[in-house]
Structures are given as structure tokens and as C-alpha cells.
Amino acid sequence: KAGVTQTPRYLIKTRGQQVTLSCSPISGHRSVSWYQQTPGQGLQFLFEYFSETQRNKGNFPGRFSGRQFSNSRSEMNVSTLELGDSALYLCASSLEATYNEQFFGPGTRLTVL
Amino acid sequence: AQTVTQSQPEMSVQEAETVTLSCTYDTSESDYYLFWYKQPPSRQMILVIRQEAYKQQNATENRFSVNFQKAAKSFSLKISDSQLGDAAMYFCAYRRWNAGNMLTFGGGTRLMVKP
């Protein structure tokens, strides 16, 4: 089975631009979660989608948004990029939302100049 | 809100020796999950071990075991017979019992393994 894939792997943007990151979960997985990883703030939860509905949301400004498609693929969007948005963005998928293990993707490294 | 604290930013261990990574957490809930994740230099995070709070027995997975002290809100990871491949960042994480897949992570411990 293919693992969680994230595209692109690396991205460079400038302040004020917007960006869209993509995550394809493991086949059959319906839950997709997003995390931001920075040296200063560590790993922080952004949001979780399950069956195309946002189920949980972390403490991030409205510039961060996401969605999930009927095939469970998910995208996250960051508008009006700031320097502080530079981070590794990790996606994780799981079968359901109970006891199942979450599988992480390799991440997208976003650099904002 | 739940918080997870890892007080050791870096640890080192000699190959074949045993090392223990510490984690404490704060929660007012009685049912929850705890996890240890490993993030090697390649960046892909993998699950090492998990513990359900209602289980008194400590979880074990081959060379990895935990010491779960619910009253003390402590969840340490013991790695026995350390191998070079164990070198990585280790994150302790908390998840509420019935609230989806939202993980709260600790700050991480960088483990170095000396040959």
C-alpha cells in the first residue's frame, strides 16, 4: 500500500502570496489531519477533516484553511503569507477517528521570503 | 487545554545501552491516549508505541516500553539495546479519548546514539 503523499515537497513563496498544499492519504483512510512544525513552536495541530467535514480546528488564524474531497484527498491553503509561516507542514491520515494509528507523510517544506 | 512537556531537549546513549526519555502531561480528563512518535532525519514521523489511559499495564513493542504513571501524569519511553537507527527526534503526544485525531505534542527530545 502506498503511504501518505504530500505535494509539493518544497516550496518557496514571498510575503503576501498564497499557497496550496496537497495531501493524498493512504487508500481507504477517511481522516486527514494537518500539522505545522517549526523550530520555535514545535508541532502544532492545524485541522482535521473526516468525510469532507472539518471535525477539529487548532488555534490558527483564518488565513489557514483546508478542505477534503470525496476521494479523501485534502488541501490546505494559506493566504497572505507571512515570514512566520515558514515551516514543515505535515499531513497524517487514519482509517477512522478512534483508536486507529495515524500515518504521517513526508511533509511540505514551505519557505516564505 | 492539554499540555505535554518533554524536559530533555537532547539525550545521548551508547549503542546497546538503555535510555529513558521523559514526558509529563497535564489534563483534566480521565480517558485519553498517549503516544511516542519517532521522527528520523528524513522527517517522516512514525508511531513507536501507544498507551490507553484506562489500561494499567504498560505498553511494550519489542525494544520499546513505556512507564505510564497516570496519577503522576508521567509517560516515559525506555529504549533497550539502543541501535544506531534509533537516532531521531522523539515526540510524546496526547490525544483525547473521543475527539478525533487531534494530537497535542511535546517539544521533542533529540536522541543521539554513539557507536
Side-chain angles (χ1 to χ4, degrees):
Chain A
K1 237 182 193 180
V4 178
T5 57
Q6 292 186 245
T7 56
R9 293 292 312 277
Y10 301 90
L11 206 48
I12 299 175
K13 291 286 188 179
T14 57
R15 278 182 300 175
Q17 287 187 310
Q18 75 163 18
V19 67
T20 299
L21 312 183
S22 179
C23 171
S24 292
I26 292 171
S27 177
H29 285 195
R30 297 165 63 195
S31 168
V32 174
S33 298
W34 289 89
Y35 295 85
Q36 181 196 64
Q37 185 174 20
T38 61
Q41 299 297 315
L43 277 155
Q44 293 185 288
F45 172 81
L46 280 155
F47 27 66
E48 178 197 5
Y49 286 87
F50 182 77
S51 293
E52 301 180 65
T53 300
Q54 187 180 87
R55 180 154 57 185
N56 285 301
K57 188 177 190 304
N59 190 25
F60 277 81
R63 301 185 297 107
F64 291 82
S65 63
R67 60 178 174 169
Q68 186 179 34
F69 302 95
S70 58
N71 62 358
S72 294
R73 189 177 70 85
S74 177
E75 289 181 347
M76 68 163 280
N77 184 276
V78 188
S79 62
T80 319
L81 283 166
E82 300 177 0
L83 296 179
D85 297 333
S86 294
L88 182 68
Y89 290 89
L90 296 172
C91 164
S93 76
S94 69
L95 276 171
E96 299 286 342
T98 54
Y99 186 71
N100 298 104
E101 176 181 349
Q102 289 188 72
F103 293 85
F104 282 80
T108 293
R109 169 71 66 187
L110 172 65
T111 301
V112 182
L113 301 176
Chain B
Q2 296 81 22
T3 58
V4 179
T5 303
Q6 294 177 247
S7 58
Q8 307 150 315
E10 281 191 0
M11 294 272 294
S12 68
V13 63
Q14 207 70 37
E15 199 175 3
E17 297 293 308
T18 295
V19 65
T20 299
L21 309 184
S22 301
C23 172
T24 58
Y25 58 95
D26 187 26
T27 183
S28 58
E29 301 176 339
S30 58
D31 291 323
Y32 47 86
Y33 301 101
L34 293 167
F35 305 85
W36 278 98
Y37 280 89
K38 171 185 178 182
Q39 189 179 41
S42 65
R43 299 281 184 184
Q44 197 134 5
M45 191 99 67
I46 55 174
L47 178 66
V48 174
I49 199 165
R50 66 183 160 201
Q51 174 85 40
E52 298 97 311
Y54 70 85
K55 288 187 177 178
Q56 293 186 338
Q57 187 173 8
N58 289 324
T60 63
E61 286 288 339
N62 301 313
R63 298 182 295 107
F64 299 87
S65 62
V66 298
N67 183 5
F68 173 48
Q69 301 288 328
K70 190 173 184 179
K73 296 180 182 174
S74 170
F75 182 61
S76 61
L77 173 70
K78 186 171 84 171
I79 306 174
S80 304
D81 185 27
S82 297
Q83 300 174 358
L84 295 177
D86 295 333
M89 283 292 291
Y90 286 81
F91 293 96
C92 178
Y94 171 101
R95 194 178 90 189
R96 293 174 63 192
W97 180 254
N98 195 25
N101 279 314
M102 174 179 168
L103 291 171
T104 300
F105 285 94
T109 296
R110 181 176 302 281
L111 177 66
M112 295 172 284
V113 181
K114 299 177 181 177

